[in-house]
Amino acid sequence: MRGRAGVRRYLNRALTVWRAQTADDGSGGQTTTLVEVGNVRAKVDQPTATERMVAASTSSRHSHDVYLLPRADVRRGDELRGTDALGTAQVFRVQSVVQPSTPVYSKALVELIQAEGES
């Protein structure tokens, strides 16, 4: 992916960003809920064979790569929600976000969260 203009054409999905927010519960404790904080354009890919091997050797839960614009507000711990090409709902938990030395895109290493019984 070269240059910002080049990256945009590959970002073929809209994902909603959800982030944990903590608030006082009124009884001396706190509650944490996920709140919608924005939308991003993205490209969702399977990791390369090398990335899968490294993830397996470190017990990482990295199942997909999500490419974003370099200024996309996506952080470790966020959830990215959207639908795939078949209209199936997907939820990804962000494990980390990295950029190349020239920030033409951001790459989020994510884990696909599947409900029990899903394939």
Side-chain angles (χ1 to χ4, degrees):
M1 292 191 208
R2 296 194 176 153
R4 284 190 181 98
V7 171
R8 284 184 196 276
R9 67 182 169 160
Y10 295 107
L11 306 180
N12 58 2
R13 292 183 55 182
L15 298 175
T16 305
V17 181
W18 292 76
R19 186 167 294 145
Q21 183 176 37
T22 304
D24 292 333
D25 66 5
S27 300
Q30 294 181 324
T31 59
T32 301
T33 56
L34 288 176
V35 296
E36 184 177 338
V37 295
N39 296 296
V40 293
R41 297 296 305 167
K43 179 179 189 295
V44 179
D45 277 342
Q46 296 286 326
T48 66
T50 301
E51 289 172 325
R52 286 192 301 267
M53 185 175 65
V54 169
S57 71
T58 61
S59 300
S60 171
R61 295 182 170 182
H62 174 204
S63 67
H64 290 76
D65 294 329
V66 176
Y67 292 91
L68 309 152
L69 290 174
R71 296 192 189 277
D73 184 15
V74 174
R75 305 174 190 173
R76 183 175 192 268
D78 285 352
E79 282 189 2
L80 303 176
R81 300 179 186 179
T83 56
D84 65 12
L86 300 174
T88 305
Q90 292 182 310
V91 177
F92 300 98
R93 179 161 297 121
V94 178
Q95 304 297 313
S96 65
V97 180
V98 296
Q99 286 185 336
S101 58
T102 302
V104 293
Y105 65 86
S106 289
K107 180 172 147 180
L109 285 64
V110 303
E111 173 189 13
L112 176 63
I113 308 298
Q114 292 181 316
E116 196 160 324
E118 287 183 349
S119 57

